[in-house]
Amino acid sequence: MVDIATRVYNHKWKIDPIIRSLIDTDFYKLLMCQSVFRNRPDTTVTFSLINRSKHIRLADLIDEGELREQLDHIRSLSLSRGESTWLRGNMFYGKRAMFRPDFMEWFEGMGLPPYHLEKRDGQYELTFEGKWHEVMLWEIPALAVLMELRSRAVLHTMGRFELQVLYARAMAKLWEKVEKLRGLDGLRLADFGTRRRHSFLWQDWCVQAMHEGLGNKFVGTSNCLIAMRREVEAIGTNAHELPMVYAALAETDEELRQAPYDVLADWHEEHDGNLRIILPDTYGTKGFLENAPDWLAGWTGIRIDSGDPATGAEIAIDWWKSRGEDPTKKLVIFSDGLDVDKIIELQNRFSGKVRPSFGWGTLMTNDFRGLTPNDSLAPFSIVCKAIAANGRPTVKLSDNPNKAMGPADEIARYKRVFGVGEQEAQEVVV
Amino acid sequence: MVDIATRVYNHKWKIDPIIRSLIDTDFYKLLMCQSVFRNRPDTTVTFSLINRSKHIRLADLIDEGELREQLDHIRSLSLSRGESTWLRGNMFYGKRAMFRPDFMEWFEGMGLPPYHLEKRDGQYELTFEGKWHEVMLWEIPALAVLMELRSRAVLHTMGRFELQVLYARAMAKLWEKVEKLRGLDGLRLADFGTRRRHSFLWQDWCVQAMHEGLGNKFVGTSNCLIAMRREVEAIGTNAHELPMVYAALAETDEELRQAPYDVLADWHEEHDGNLRIILPDTYGTKGFLENAPDWLAGWTGIRIDSGDPATGAEIAIDWWKSRGEDPTKKLVIFSDGLDVDKIIELQNRFSGKVRPSFGWGTLMTNDFRGLTPNDSLAPFSIVCKAIAANGRPTVKLSDNPNKAMGPADEIARYKRVFGVGEQEAQEVVV
């Protein structure tokens, strides 16, 4: 039987919205938002979308009017009652009332601030400016909208069965990964793929398939909406934007040197247990750990998000040992450009030495490589970053010079202040 | 929105019927039925199900009660008004009113006769006895029920996403075949896969996918119900049961020698054009053609259903030439155990020499090989054949001794009468 009402309802859409909820975003964004709301409520920042894959001419593929409609729709969203209840009442990382009442009251009343959109050289320049804790919430939906509009542009020309076979192939491809991973003893893997997913529905499918296929080896998703609906754990801690903005606000070189630790001192006050995860690479992992205060060695773990992941983990292990900590008790979360073979290699290498864990992103939720002619659905590398804070440019060095960003003179200053020397370049795929 | 009514309706099923229509059968069965109804209405035959793949212990896999429920359900079916209208009014092979009013009146009132079911040695012995034109209509549904109950038995243990991925893989597999075939100039291919399909819904999907993927290279399906619903051509001519039963009824060796030609004389009277297709292999292609009357050389084409297909086609070409016919005008329909590579090879070899055409069966509608552990869904070889007529055993020799059937002494007599010598054995896969 045709469900007439559903069909007529679908007819009435002016657009098919990509983002339908303010919590269709990464969990760590909300944790960081609360932290910023509490500690730096007056900071003004600018976020900017950067397409690192210049050969994908987004402005040729995606109609500007459609993009504006999607972005305008996101601005019309506010937190629903059920979403609010979930955020207030759900247990996250073993803790109830993770989000404080004053933050929730503000969040319930907020909407996303305006965006600024221009076309240049076949690309979109998309920027957001305003209060840090508001503007930061644009990052994930902005990326997801551009990724999915690009998917839709490619899918638009395909036939009914061609489409079905495309998704059949993508499903079979994901399931092969599940079958490779399910034999891996002690695996702990989460979905980190919201920002560069093929589409919302596809991410939702992937999470459910991983949940069935991997059982308790699949520990959850970074996507709050999917975590809520599918009743899996919401996963995530913090990101580079915190040290980047704190650093940009520093008045002196000494304050700059201290900024990354200030971030974690604020975090230390708010969170404990598995939320105490160091992200050490913003200005070079090695120097960051060498100069770190002793209390940081007591944190639960570390996230390796750039550079060679095995090297990063070994550096962390040596550091913990030098501070009298037992590495086998520590979480090491790998989250940079993972795919199955790399996950298996890292799990086998570090199992027993630390507690390895994986945040699997784009190649879980958007591995359409090889499924269409000219690889027109292969994922590509876009990011949306804080580029300025209170009018001053931000800088990121990372452990991979290909991921560095900021003005050249500022990069030079940061390298000097943080004592970063030669770095090994790694290709950025996704 | 959940369609509550559909869901509740589904709850009420006692069984999920595999065969839901009397025309969920091969078109040639109805053509032959009409011919038998007219020419041999008083013949009594026995059909019997034979599982050539003894390692598949059907009686261990399939519950007898479930099998009986499915068979009983088939006996409860009668032609619907819409089905009757379609059979009476649709154009088949360019002709309207293919089915005569007296036949349609009988068909509208008929139901399938009783079956006889026993278990022996892990197999089901399933036989049907009665008027030829009634009993013959059991063949296709009986085979389809056993194939699909076996599929269901395997699928029963699988999880929700595991199932979805299984079908995703099967779709991807079929589509790879479509992509290989779509570049083949002049291809003419039909679905002949009803009897050994994975399931009805899967066959229906395959037909639609081929229709979209191959365009007019896909010329139709042998399945009447799917042809009607999907508005594609219904395809088929005649089968071995006609010469087998005519031969069994022969009183003398001379009548026996003549029987295969008597079949085609009756057919000649009823049909013309693309329905005049010789099926020469029942008692050996070579002798059949050598001894054939001249009017048979004027027929439109030939179907190659056993033996090496290229050899069979070459024999036909030589025969046409020897009778002064132009082979390039003739249809050669390959229908034995085809898969993509064989289709491509035969099309390339015979394109231009004849008009090649393909009836693609089991490896189109049931190629689940390699998709489950232990290949538990791989197709296997079951047939349902007329084994006796008016109390006398039938015999089939075919061009492949592995496909021969009948009592040993009768096989010897037939070989003598039809002058069949050494034959090359071919493995029977499906």
Side-chain angles (χ1 to χ4, degrees):
Chain A
M1 284 178 246
V2 175
D3 180 342
I4 303 172
T6 299
R7 185 128 166 202
V8 171
Y9 175 77
N10 290 347
H11 281 166
K12 298 196 312 181
W13 289 351
K14 279 204 299 219
I15 62 167
D16 182 354
I18 291 169
I19 304 291
R20 296 174 183 223
S21 159
L22 279 186
I23 68 165
D24 181 8
T25 192
D26 281 343
F27 180 66
Y28 77 173
K29 272 284 167 181
L30 301 187
L31 285 186
M32 289 190 291
C33 185
Q34 171 166 260
S35 181
V36 170
F37 179 79
R38 169 183 179 161
N39 298 308
R40 304 287 168 121
D42 299 321
T43 312
T44 298
V45 302
T46 307
F47 267 73
S48 174
L49 189 110
I50 298 144
N51 179 7
R52 293 170 179 160
S53 308
K54 297 289 173 222
H55 64 284
I56 310 281
R57 294 175 60 88
L58 288 174
D60 296 344
L61 279 166
I62 298 170
D63 178 71
E64 184 176 334
E66 274 184 60
L67 175 53
R68 285 186 184 277
E69 281 176 330
Q70 292 292 343
L71 297 172
D72 291 342
H73 180 78
I74 294 171
R75 291 200 63 212
S76 78
L77 295 172
S78 63
L79 207 61
S80 80
R81 188 164 160 174
E83 291 161 354
S84 171
T85 300
W86 182 75
L87 286 176
R88 284 173 181 268
N90 189 56
M91 189 182 281
F92 299 103
Y93 282 81
K95 181 175 163 185
R96 288 211 189 273
M98 174 72 80
F99 297 101
R100 289 187 305 273
D102 63 326
F103 172 74
M104 285 306 303
E105 262 162 55
W106 165 79
F107 194 27
E108 282 158 2
M110 76 87 68
L112 285 182
Y115 60 89
H116 182 76
L117 179 67
E118 274 183 76
K119 272 190 195 183
R120 195 183 309 269
D121 296 334
Q123 299 294 343
Y124 283 113
E125 288 194 348
L126 179 57
T127 53
F128 311 94
E129 201 178 328
K131 291 280 176 223
W132 186 8
H133 51 282
E134 293 180 1
V135 164
M136 69 188 297
L137 295 177
W138 264 116
E139 177 184 354
I140 308 299
L143 291 170
V145 157
L146 278 154
M147 292 303 289
E148 187 162 344
L149 283 179
R150 186 275 205 140
S151 301
R152 289 184 184 183
V154 174
L155 300 171
H156 192 67
T157 58
M158 295 174 70
R160 188 172 156 211
F161 283 80
E162 210 181 349
L163 280 170
Q164 205 179 0
V165 168
L166 172 70
Y167 285 103
R169 285 176 170 169
M171 286 175 185
K173 196 169 187 190
L174 185 79
W175 201 257
E176 267 170 48
K177 299 186 183 195
V178 167
E179 288 179 340
K180 280 193 189 172
L181 291 172
R182 75 169 29 140
L184 215 51
D185 270 348
L187 178 67
R188 293 168 47 87
L189 182 148
D191 158 35
F192 277 18
T194 299
R195 67 191 60 205
R196 284 190 285 273
R197 67 192 181 198
H198 168 80
S199 72
F200 172 75
L201 291 176
W202 178 245
Q203 183 187 17
D204 190 38
W205 189 90
C206 289
V207 167
Q208 293 174 77
M210 302 282 286
H211 193 51
E212 181 184 299
L214 292 182
N216 58 16
K217 289 174 180 165
F218 181 70
V219 298
T221 174
S222 62
N223 187 294
C224 297
L225 184 64
I226 295 175
M228 180 180 81
R229 289 196 184 156
R230 304 303 171 193
E231 302 197 6
V232 298
E233 292 294 321
I235 303 281
T237 54
N238 56 61
H240 299 104
E241 70 175 283
L242 292 180
M244 284 168 72
V245 173
Y246 275 52
L249 299 177
E251 299 284 343
T252 64
D253 284 358
E254 187 42 42
E255 276 182 36
L256 174 58
R257 207 184 326 271
Q258 203 50 41
Y261 306 112
D262 292 345
V263 168
L264 300 187
D266 285 347
W267 199 261
H268 192 90
E269 222 172 277
E270 288 181 77
H271 301 296
D272 47 27
N274 283 359
L275 284 175
R276 287 188 176 167
I277 301 294
I278 304 166
L279 179 65
D281 67 325
T282 316
Y283 304 118
T285 294
K286 213 159 159 291
F288 176 85
L289 293 179
E290 276 167 12
N291 301 318
D294 275 333
W295 54 265
L296 211 52
W299 274 33
T300 309
I302 201 163
R303 181 157 73 91
I304 312 284
D305 200 46
S306 65
D308 175 62
T311 306
E314 296 291 0
I315 289 172
I317 290 172
D318 290 343
W319 176 67
W320 279 315
K321 285 182 181 165
S322 76
R323 302 286 177 113
E325 296 283 330
D326 177 2
T328 64
K329 302 259 185 320
K330 299 293 188 181
L331 268 182
V332 174
I333 302 170
F334 298 100
S335 63
D336 182 30
L338 294 174
D339 203 358
V340 164
D341 292 340
K342 180 59 80 178
I343 292 170
I344 293 171
E345 179 194 322
L346 291 169
Q347 173 73 20
N348 287 335
R349 174 157 172 182
F350 289 103
S351 174
K353 294 184 185 163
V354 295
R355 293 160 54 211
S357 182
F358 300 89
W360 192 12
T362 311
L363 295 179
M364 171 183 160
T365 60
N366 198 358
D367 192 0
F368 281 63
R369 293 175 301 178
L371 302 185
T372 53
N374 305 319
D375 236 353
S376 54
L377 283 176
F380 58 101
S381 185
I382 47 174
V383 293
C384 183
K385 291 285 184 191
I387 56 165
N390 288 353
R392 296 148 78 147
T394 64
V395 169
K396 183 183 173 189
L397 300 179
S398 121
D399 289 330
N400 178 0
N402 290 340
K403 281 187 161 185
M405 47 173 290
D409 57 339
E410 285 294 292
I411 289 182
R413 181 168 80 96
Y414 276 61
K415 279 192 164 183
R416 176 175 52 75
V417 168
F418 290 103
V420 172
E422 277 298 301
Q423 294 176 302
E424 193 189 341
Q426 308 260 339
E427 192 192 0
V428 178
V429 180
V430 286
Chain B
M1 282 178 246
V2 175
D3 182 341
I4 304 171
T6 299
R7 185 127 166 203
V8 171
Y9 176 76
N10 290 348
H11 281 167
K12 299 194 313 178
W13 289 351
K14 279 205 298 221
I15 61 167
D16 182 354
I18 291 169
I19 304 291
R20 297 176 182 221
S21 158
L22 279 185
I23 67 165
D24 181 8
T25 193
D26 281 344
F27 179 66
Y28 76 174
K29 272 285 167 179
L30 301 187
L31 286 185
M32 289 191 291
C33 185
Q34 173 167 257
S35 180
V36 170
F37 178 80
R38 170 184 179 160
N39 298 307
R40 304 284 169 126
D42 300 321
T43 313
T44 297
V45 302
T46 306
F47 268 72
S48 174
L49 190 110
I50 298 145
N51 179 8
R52 294 170 179 158
S53 309
K54 296 290 174 219
H55 64 284
I56 310 280
R57 293 175 61 88
L58 287 174
D60 296 343
L61 280 166
I62 296 169
D63 178 72
E64 183 175 336
E66 275 184 58
L67 174 54
R68 286 186 182 276
E69 280 176 331
Q70 292 292 342
L71 297 172
D72 291 341
H73 180 78
I74 295 171
R75 292 201 64 212
S76 78
L77 295 172
S78 63
L79 207 60
S80 80
R81 188 166 161 172
E83 290 162 355
S84 171
T85 300
W86 181 75
L87 287 175
R88 284 173 180 268
N90 189 58
M91 188 180 283
F92 299 103
Y93 283 82
K95 181 177 162 185
R96 288 211 190 274
M98 174 74 77
F99 297 101
R100 289 185 306 273
D102 62 327
F103 172 74
M104 285 306 304
E105 262 162 55
W106 165 78
F107 195 25
E108 284 158 1
M110 76 86 68
L112 285 183
Y115 59 90
H116 182 75
L117 178 68
E118 274 183 73
K119 273 191 197 184
R120 197 184 309 268
D121 295 335
Q123 299 293 342
Y124 283 113
E125 289 195 347
L126 179 57
T127 53
F128 311 94
E129 200 176 328
K131 292 281 176 220
W132 186 7
H133 51 282
E134 292 180 0
V135 165
M136 68 188 296
L137 295 177
W138 264 115
E139 178 186 354
I140 308 298
L143 291 169
V145 157
L146 278 155
M147 292 302 290
E148 187 163 343
L149 282 179
R150 186 273 206 142
S151 301
R152 289 184 184 183
V154 174
L155 301 172
H156 191 67
T157 59
M158 295 173 69
R160 187 173 157 209
F161 282 80
E162 210 180 350
L163 281 169
Q164 205 178 0
V165 168
L166 173 71
Y167 285 104
R169 285 176 171 170
M171 287 175 183
K173 196 169 188 189
L174 186 80
W175 201 257
E176 266 171 47
K177 300 186 182 194
V178 167
E179 288 180 340
K180 280 192 189 172
L181 291 172
R182 75 169 27 139
L184 215 53
D185 271 347
L187 177 68
R188 292 169 46 85
L189 182 147
D191 158 36
F192 277 18
T194 300
R195 68 191 61 205
R196 283 189 287 272
R197 67 193 182 197
H198 168 81
S199 73
F200 172 76
L201 290 175
W202 178 245
Q203 183 186 17
D204 190 38
W205 189 90
C206 291
V207 167
Q208 294 175 76
M210 302 283 287
H211 193 50
E212 181 184 298
L214 292 182
N216 57 17
K217 290 173 180 165
F218 181 70
V219 298
T221 174
S222 63
N223 187 295
C224 296
L225 184 63
I226 295 175
M228 180 180 82
R229 289 198 184 154
R230 304 302 171 193
E231 301 196 8
V232 296
E233 293 293 322
I235 303 282
T237 55
N238 57 60
H240 300 103
E241 71 175 282
L242 292 179
M244 283 168 72
V245 173
Y246 275 53
L249 299 177
E251 300 285 341
T252 64
D253 285 358
E254 185 44 42
E255 277 182 35
L256 174 57
R257 209 184 324 273
Q258 203 51 41
Y261 308 113
D262 292 344
V263 168
L264 300 186
D266 285 346
W267 199 261
H268 192 89
E269 222 173 276
E270 288 182 76
H271 301 295
D272 47 26
N274 284 358
L275 284 175
R276 286 188 176 166
I277 301 295
I278 304 165
L279 178 64
D281 67 327
T282 316
Y283 304 117
T285 294
K286 211 158 159 291
F288 176 86
L289 293 178
E290 276 166 13
N291 301 318
D294 276 334
W295 53 264
L296 212 51
W299 274 32
T300 308
I302 200 163
R303 180 155 74 92
I304 312 284
D305 199 45
S306 65
D308 175 62
T311 307
E314 297 290 0
I315 289 171
I317 290 171
D318 291 344
W319 176 68
W320 279 315
K321 284 182 182 164
S322 76
R323 302 287 178 115
E325 296 284 330
D326 178 1
T328 65
K329 301 262 186 315
K330 298 293 188 183
L331 266 181
V332 174
I333 301 172
F334 298 100
S335 63
D336 182 31
L338 294 173
D339 203 359
V340 163
D341 293 341
K342 182 58 81 178
I343 292 170
I344 293 171
E345 179 194 323
L346 291 168
Q347 173 72 20
N348 287 335
R349 174 157 173 182
F350 289 103
S351 175
K353 294 184 183 161
V354 295
R355 293 161 52 212
S357 183
F358 300 89
W360 192 13
T362 311
L363 295 180
M364 171 182 159
T365 60
N366 198 359
D367 191 0
F368 281 64
R369 294 175 300 178
L371 302 185
T372 53
N374 304 320
D375 236 353
S376 53
L377 284 175
F380 58 102
S381 186
I382 48 174
V383 294
C384 183
K385 292 284 184 192
I387 57 164
N390 288 352
R392 296 149 77 149
T394 64
V395 169
K396 183 182 174 190
L397 299 178
S398 118
D399 288 331
N400 178 2
N402 289 340
K403 281 185 160 185
M405 46 173 291
D409 58 335
E410 285 294 294
I411 289 182
R413 180 169 78 98
Y414 276 61
K415 279 192 165 184
R416 176 176 53 75
V417 169
F418 290 104
V420 172
E422 278 298 300
Q423 292 177 304
E424 193 190 340
Q426 308 259 339
E427 192 192 359
V428 178
V429 181
V430 287

